[in-house]
Structures are given as C-alpha cells and as structure tokens.
C-alpha cells in the first residue's frame, strides 16, 4: 500500500515540477510535497508507526529516496529558470560594441574658424602676434584714433550699432590694432581676427554680424613692396596656389596711400568668367601704408616709424572657397549646412 502511494506521489510530483513555469509554482509544489508540517511525504510517514520494524526501515528508505529525488528535481528546475532569465536578459541587453557610442554627436570647427586659424598659423610663422580685443568699443578706438572724421557716414546710426554711454559694437577689428599699437609699441607685427557688426539690412550678401581679419607691420622704412610680399604670401597660402596680384588706388581714412588688392581670377585665369564678372580680376582686400595721423595718435613717431596695414573679410573668403551663395547660412546654426564641412 505505502509503496504505491510513495511511487505515485513521486512520479506525479516529478511531472508537476517538470511542467512548472515559475519559481513561485515550484515553491508551492515544494511546500505541498516536502513541507515539514503537512507535506504529502510527511503525511505518508505518519502511517509508518503501525508497521513491523523491518518493513518500517524499508519504507523509510523509500521515503528518503523519494524526498532526495524530488529535492534534486526542484533544485535542477530552479537552475533552469535562472539560466533562462539570464539568457533573456543577455538577449535584451545585447550591445554591438563596434557601433559608434551613443550620446551627443561630436561636432567640428565652423568653416570661418578653420580659415581664421589657417591664416593665424601662417602669420605666427612670419613673426606676427595674434591679438584679441573687446567687441563693445569706445567711439575713440573705433573711429577717432583711425583718422575717421566726425562727419564720416560710417559713424551714422544707419551703419553702426550704438549703445548707451557712447559705446558701440565695433564695425571693424581696427580698434584691436589701435590698442596693439598703444601697448606693444614699435617695431611690431600683429594680426587682429574677430567678429564685427554693422547695421545692415540683411540679404544674401549682407549680414549685421560677420568676421574680419586685419593685420599690421610697423618698422623702419616699410614700403609697398613689403606689403605686396606679405599679401601675396598670405593669398598663396589661403588658395594653396600661386596668385598674381594687382593694386588699384582705394580710399580708407587710416592709410595713405590706400589700395584695393585684386588677384587674377583663379577660375578662368584672367580670360573672363561669371566669378570675375568678365574682368579677369577678383577683389580680395583693402590695404595701404598706415596714415601718419593714426601712428601719432597711438603714440608712435611717424618720422621714425611707418608700416603697412590690411583688412579682409573672413566671411567672404569662406563663401568664395566653398561656393556659398547666401551669407545667411554661415550664422544660421543649421546643421544641414554645417555638416557639409
Ligand atoms: C577692408 C579694408 C583695411 C586697414 C583695414 C588699418 C588699421 C589700422 C590702421 C591702418 Cl589700426 N589700417 N586697417 C587698412 C586698410 C584696409 O580694410 O576692406 N577690409 C575688409
């Protein structure tokens, strides 16, 4: 009788363990079958008291064997659940380590910054210092010290952003050079790249905010030949090939003589094309020999020292290099534009 009950209990319990689907279900089976107080095996063992001693020993062995088999089966099934759970977790959290990392995408320098740094490196290699200065300037540093008369139209509110207290947003980087002349003294070589502001109505070729680079060399007996040498060297580096230059007279109050400097058109070689508007030449920058008044106002004796100065538009240069047809792209912050560089 007892033999049968033990065998049946064992085999039916093993079947239930095999088909259990959760650790909780397994625990319920364990309590029901192996539980110390009222588990099925314990209940069976209660009937052993009436048995003869040798019979009791035999049934006891059977009970122990069944108990051990069931414990082993429960333990094995629990291990299967744990292995299953781990496999599912590994599957769900699988990572391809060859992919680029998540998180913010890596950016890069703006094309204007790139061209600025190229030109800075060239001039540093030629003994020039790179200067920085305030974007909010005094009227004196932006205009008076540059020999720009009080009546000059550039000073008008239509052209310049005026601030309270006679301050303004610098309209060129010349005031940085004024400060450079005052603090460095002659002889000197410096460039002043930076952001400048004009009160323009904005369209495809006009921005209120753009980038310039100016430079100056002051020494004894500086000539237009020096000026041409440095300008040719700079433009050859920027365009990465030999350039032919031409000077035309040009007026800027802070230089005398003053020039507009053109290069032979790099597209058509001077034959005439849409880029040079059929002239064969493309305007690049303004330059000249620093006006004696400008030297004097910044504490440099024009009888002993002189120098050349130039100014060019970095924004324009970038537009030419990459064939950008609308200046507004450059400050737009539009990633579709920026990611092309
Ligand atoms: C242009 C013309 C120029 C300068 C800038 C300069 C500065 C000082 C003294 C003398 Cl402090 N000159 N700068 C000279 C000639 C031309 O810029 O068209 N720039 C975009």
């Amino acid at each position: 009788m007892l033999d049968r009950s033990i065998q049946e209990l064992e085999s039916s319990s093993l079947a239930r363990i095999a088909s259990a689907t959760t650790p909780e279900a397994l625990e319920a089976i364990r309590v029901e079958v192996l539980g110390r107080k009222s588990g099925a095996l314990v209940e069976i063992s209660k009937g052993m008291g009436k048995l003869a001693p040798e019979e009791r020993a035999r049934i006891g062995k059977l009970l122990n064997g069944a108990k051990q088999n069931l414990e082993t089966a429960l333990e094995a099934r629990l291990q299967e659940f744990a292995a299953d759970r781990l496999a599912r977790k590994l599957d769900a959290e699988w990572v391809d380590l060859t992919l680029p990392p998540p998180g913010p995408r890596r950016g890069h320098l703006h094309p204007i910054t790139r061209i600025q740094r190229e030109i800075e490196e060239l001039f540093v290699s030629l003994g020039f210092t790179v200067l920085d200065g305030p974007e909010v300037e005094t009227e004196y540093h932006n205009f008076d010290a540059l020999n720009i008369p009080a009546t000059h139209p550039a000073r008008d509110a239509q052209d310049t952003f005026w601030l309270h207290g006679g301050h303004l947003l610098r309209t060129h980087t010349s005031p940085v050079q004024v400060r450079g002349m005052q603090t460095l003294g002659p002889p000197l070589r410096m460039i002043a790249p930076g952001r400048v502001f004009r009160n323009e109505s904005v369209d495809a070729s006009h921005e209120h905010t753009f980038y310039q680079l100016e430079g100056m060399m002051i020494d004894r007996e500086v000539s237009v030949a020096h000026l041409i040498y440095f300008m040719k060297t700079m433009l050859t580096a920027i365009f990465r090939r030999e350039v032919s230059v031409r000077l035309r007279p040009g007026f800027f109050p802070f230089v005398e003589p003053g020039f507009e400097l053109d290069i032979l058109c790099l597209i058509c070689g001077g034959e005439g094309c849409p880029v040079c508007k059929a002239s064969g030449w493309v305007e690049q920058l303004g330059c000249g020999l620093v006006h004696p008044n400008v030297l004097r106002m910044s504490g440099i004796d024009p009888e002993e020292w002189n120098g050349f100065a130039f100014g060019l538009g970095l924004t324009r240069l970038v537009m030419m290099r990459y064939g950008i047809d609308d200046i507004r792209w450059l400050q737009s912050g539009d990633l579709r534009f920026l990611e092309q560089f």
Side-chain angles (χ1 to χ4, degrees), residues 234-253:
M234 171 175 70
L235 292 165
T236 297
I238 291 172
F239 293 108
R240 301 184 183 119
R241 50 183 160 147
E242 278 299 320
V243 294
S244 305
V245 305
R246 160 180 103 166
L247 296 188
R248 289 177 287 117
F251 177 74
F252 307 99

Side-chain angles (χ1 to χ4, degrees), residues 10-29:
E10 185 179 345
S11 58
S12 69
S13 299
L14 284 173
R16 288 173 66 199
I17 290 167
S19 60
T21 52
T22 63
E24 293 72 32
L26 276 188
E27 177 60 11
I29 296 167

Side-chain angles (χ1 to χ4, degrees), residues 145-146 172-179 181 190 198 210 212-216 252 254-255 258-260 283-291 294 298 308-313:
L146 288 157
H172 41 198
T173 55
S174 307
V176 181
Q177 304 217 84
V178 169
R179 292 171 184 280
M181 284 190 283
M190 61 184 167
R198 302 224 178 134
F210 54 99
Q212 243 193 3
L213 187 145
E214 287 195 31
M216 179 186 286
F252 307 99
F254 26 90
V255 288
F259 308 102
E260 306 271 3
E283 185 178 330
Q284 288 299 324
L285 54 89
C287 55
L289 297 185
V290 183
H291 198 291
V294 172
S298 289
F308 70 74
F310 66 95
L312 59 85

Side-chain angles (χ1 to χ4, degrees), residues 116 120 130-131 170 173 191-195 212-214 314:
Q116 178 182 321
E120 285 176 8
V130 181
L131 290 185
R170 68 183 185 193
T173 55
I191 57 169
R195 189 161 65 157
Q212 243 193 3
L213 187 145
E214 287 195 31
L314 290 175

